[in-house]
Amino acid sequence: MLIQFAAAAGAANAAAAHGGENPYGLWAALEQGGAIAWAVFLILVAMSIFSFYIMFTKLFDQQKIINQSKRVRASFWGNPSLKEGAAKLEKNSAYKQIVDDGLTAQEQHGKLTDPVEAHDWLHGSLSRSQASINSKLNGGLAFLATVGATAPFIGLFGTVVGIYRALVKIGASGQASIDVVAGPVGEALIMTALGLVVAVPAVLAYNWLQRRNKSIAEDLSAFANDVLGYMASNGAVKPTIAARGAAKVAPPAAAPKPGVGTTTAGAPKA
């Protein structure tokens, strides 16, 4: 969005160049602002680029785990054992990681010299596995929150510098005519707009990705609880698998046909 804004401003400057150089465009404002204006502009551009990169990469990672969840619900619990079910999952699947960590913890429990409840040991191992996956999903979101909180103030810094330059020009010329202050004031407004253009998408992306992460964490927690129940019961406890299609209804019993020794009502003859 920020790049499109800059490109549109550059196109406007190029169009105005046919009738003379435009002293109030984006590039002209940056040139007038000097090193400070350029530094603010480049910082905001870098923030915007990294924000969109994080947003799309995290969205891809989340969607991959959501698709894995659908496949797990459809076929995983139909396998005769956890090992066979885990072997059929994707190599880098988050759900495979949970199952593998649970199986490893189960093997390690028999090697403990200090007696520990198997339930507590398995629960702790599965919780660590979930925490590791959630930590990876939340990576980078702090940067989005930082951009959303600081980008408006970085733009405001450029705004303050622009207003200061306008006041200096007024003091130097001795008059507050529009041609004197239009350039610095325009630069100040542009910096404010750029700060908001960078901050708003970052805040929206942060809230949206956090909400999706919370939903994924709930699914992982439910799956880990099912794995724990399966292991603690030696496979006797499994989550209920929804039957595909509507359940078949048994046909009603046929009424007895009238025959020898019975009346049409089914009662014996006198």
Side-chain angles (χ1 to χ4, degrees), residues 28-139:
L30 292 175
E31 291 175 359
Q32 293 177 13
I36 294 179
W38 275 106
V40 171
F41 176 75
L42 293 177
I43 290 173
L44 291 175
V45 169
M47 283 183 166
S48 179
I49 292 173
F50 280 109
S51 295
F52 279 98
Y53 171 77
I54 291 173
M55 180 176 67
F56 286 116
T57 54
K58 290 296 144 184
L59 184 62
F60 174 78
D61 292 340
Q62 289 177 343
Q63 191 59 47
K64 183 168 65 174
I65 294 181
I66 292 174
N67 293 337
Q68 293 169 0
S69 174
K70 294 178 181 178
R71 289 191 288 270
V72 166
R73 287 196 298 265
S75 60
F76 179 80
W77 294 109
N79 293 283
S81 68
L82 288 180
K83 288 185 177 180
E84 293 184 21
K88 296 179 181 179
L89 296 177
E90 299 177 12
K91 182 179 180 181
N92 297 323
S93 171
Y95 293 88
K96 178 178 175 61
Q97 176 180 331
I98 291 177
V99 176
D100 289 343
D101 290 344
L103 292 173
T104 301
Q106 190 177 43
E107 295 175 358
Q108 292 174 344
H109 181 262
K111 303 176 183 178
L112 297 178
T113 57
D114 187 17
V116 178
E117 286 290 337
H119 177 274
D120 296 337
W121 177 259
L122 293 175
H123 184 270
S125 299
L126 293 175
S127 296
R128 287 195 301 271
S129 183
Q130 295 176 63
S132 174
I133 297 171
N134 292 332
S135 177
K136 293 178 182 178
L137 287 176
N138 289 322

Side-chain angles (χ1 to χ4, degrees), residues 144-158:
L144 292 180
T146 302
V147 169
T150 60
F153 295 102
I154 295 175
L156 182 61
F157 174 74

